[in-house]
Amino acid sequence: MAEAFIATDTYKLFPSPRNEHRHVFLHEVFVPHAYTLIDLPTYRLQGRYSLFAAYRTADRKMGQLVTFELEADVARFHARFVPD
């Protein structure tokens, strides 16, 4: 059985069931909107990516963490993301 969450030094992560990859990639963006729909395939990213529901332990803030294999995809995400 897969783990229900992934604990890091900074976050407690809950993988999206729609993820192709359940890997925490090097480049990450914390989105402080816990209920915003983020449909990553529509961003047409070049590398692999993962989406997690996230609990940030430093300030106990809930949100979402998007992790990217490629740094260029971070810029593409920032340019296209608009919270609901």
Side-chain angles (χ1 to χ4, degrees), residues 8-14 28-33 53-65:
T8 70
D9 292 340
T10 310
Y11 300 103
K12 188 171 189 181
L13 303 171
F14 303 88
E28 57 188 45
V29 175
F30 181 76
V31 179
H33 307 283
Y55 172 76
R56 189 166 54 190
T57 55
D59 59 0
R60 300 190 304 194
K61 179 88 173 167
M62 289 296 297
Q64 298 179 69
L65 186 74

Side-chain angles (χ1 to χ4, degrees), residues 2-36:
E3 288 187 40
F5 67 90
I6 299 168
T8 70
D9 292 340
T10 310
Y11 300 103
K12 188 171 189 181
L13 303 171
F14 303 88
S16 169
R18 296 177 57 198
N19 280 344
E20 279 185 49
H21 312 284
R22 288 187 178 214
H23 183 76
V24 180
F25 294 105
L26 179 63
H27 308 287
E28 57 188 45
V29 175
F30 181 76
V31 179
H33 307 283
Y35 300 105
T36 296

Side-chain angles (χ1 to χ4, degrees), residues 24-76:
V24 180
F25 294 105
L26 179 63
H27 308 287
E28 57 188 45
V29 175
F30 181 76
V31 179
H33 307 283
Y35 300 105
T36 296
L37 178 63
I38 301 175
D39 186 15
L40 288 171
T42 63
Y43 288 76
R44 302 187 197 280
L45 303 168
Q46 299 300 310
R48 298 180 299 167
Y49 51 83
S50 292
L51 177 65
F52 302 90
Y55 172 76
R56 189 166 54 190
T57 55
D59 59 0
R60 300 190 304 194
K61 179 88 173 167
M62 289 296 297
Q64 298 179 69
L65 186 74
V66 187
T67 68
F68 304 94
E69 181 180 37
L70 303 175
E71 188 173 1
D73 287 338
V74 173
R76 185 178 200 102

